[in-house]
Amino acid sequence: MKKVVIADHHPVTRKGASILLDSTNEYTIVGKVARGSELLKCLEEERPDILILELNIPEINGFHALRSIREEFPKTRIAIFSSHPEEIYALRSIKSGAAGYISKTSSSEEFLQAIKRIALGGIYLNDELTAAFSNHSVNDNTIVGRYKKLSAREIEVLNLLSNGKRNKDIASLLEINEKTVSTYKTRLLKKLNVTSLAELINQARMFQFN
């Protein structure tokens, strides 16, 4: 049986995912955690086969943390289970080391299919999302089109800005200097076609980055 750790700050989500996985008799839940410090301790102790991770749990810094976990625990396959917009976050998650992206709007059947594919060594993105990313007719001038052009690091900076972090805080969290943070902010303003930080943050919150 595959060992699984569930990391999510919502108790109902942790319990629901656990019940679904237990129903298959294919997985053993070895940890359920709500914050980053608990997660790292659990990963170190349990060395699970699969980590089901919500990117926004406290003490976790999105894609930066995802890459770090992937590097430190290379044998653990990571499934992102999130309410963030799939068209923006899914491919960034895969590029940052996740083995799959599962939306919290997915059905129970889809959730289990996704985890099984990941457990067997595959990569999971739902069919609609795969088709959408293959569709070259998407208008790059739409808000979604512009967000798709952002790099994983730009999305990290935007996420932290939308949570009220200052340049100094962001630099510390992402282990970069403040000048680099300023450069990312300038790029974000240009790429998202906005003229102020307030407008940038408002647009980010439309896409649930906070």
Side-chain angles (χ1 to χ4, degrees):
M1 295 176 74
K2 299 289 187 181
K3 296 197 300 180
V4 178
V5 167
I6 301 169
D8 196 291
H9 51 307
H10 295 117
V12 171
T13 301
R14 295 196 301 272
K15 184 173 183 179
S18 180
I19 289 171
L20 284 174
L21 293 172
D22 283 341
S23 71
T24 68
N25 294 316
E26 295 176 10
Y27 309 97
T28 300
I29 310 301
V30 295
K32 289 185 279 188
V33 300
R35 55 198 320 109
S37 55
E38 297 171 357
L39 172 59
L40 294 177
K41 182 180 179 182
C42 187
L43 290 174
E44 186 66 43
E45 291 176 353
E46 299 293 346
R47 301 283 169 167
D49 300 294
I50 300 168
L51 166 62
I52 298 174
L53 174 66
E54 164 60 77
L55 283 170
N56 262 17
I57 66 171
E59 302 172 4
I60 284 286
N61 301 313
F63 297 112
H64 179 70
L66 174 56
R67 286 192 292 269
S68 297
I69 291 170
R70 188 76 181 92
E71 289 172 7
E72 191 169 349
F73 304 97
K75 293 183 179 180
T76 298
R77 312 214 75 216
I78 304 169
I80 300 301
F81 188 38
S82 181
S83 56
H84 281 306
E86 291 177 271
E87 67 272 15
I88 296 169
Y89 265 69
L91 283 191
R92 311 296 186 198
S93 297
I94 301 300
K95 289 177 181 178
S96 296
Y101 187 99
I102 310 165
S103 171
K104 285 186 176 176
T105 61
S106 299
S107 66
S108 299
E109 292 76 13
E110 186 177 354
F111 173 81
L112 291 175
Q113 287 172 3
I115 297 300
K116 186 167 187 176
R117 183 179 299 178
I118 291 167
L120 292 173
I123 297 292
Y124 179 80
L125 288 173
N126 71 40
D127 293 339
E128 292 82 4
L129 188 60
T130 301
F133 277 114
S134 300
N135 184 0
H136 299 295
S137 66
V138 172
N139 184 357
D140 286 339
N141 290 321
T142 64
I143 293 176
V144 171
R146 292 195 291 268
Y147 269 102
K148 285 183 181 179
K149 289 185 174 182
L150 299 182
S151 68
R153 180 48 63 91
E154 286 167 345
I155 289 179
E156 284 180 311
V157 172
L158 184 56
N159 188 25
L160 291 169
L161 285 170
S162 71
N163 279 287
K165 300 297 185 184
R166 299 170 299 172
N167 284 18
K168 183 178 180 180
D169 301 324
I170 296 171
S172 176
L173 287 165
L174 300 183
E175 299 177 359
I176 56 180
N177 62 52
E178 288 187 56
K179 185 177 179 180
T180 302
V181 175
S182 295
T183 299
Y184 278 119
K185 285 169 70 174
T186 301
R187 287 183 193 171
L188 286 165
L189 289 167
K190 183 176 180 181
K191 286 188 175 184
L192 297 179
N193 195 28
V194 293
T195 57
S196 70
L197 181 59
E199 196 177 350
L200 183 68
I201 290 171
N202 285 337
Q203 198 174 106
R205 286 175 175 166
M206 284 173 55
F207 280 83
Q208 302 171 4
F209 277 91
N210 60 329

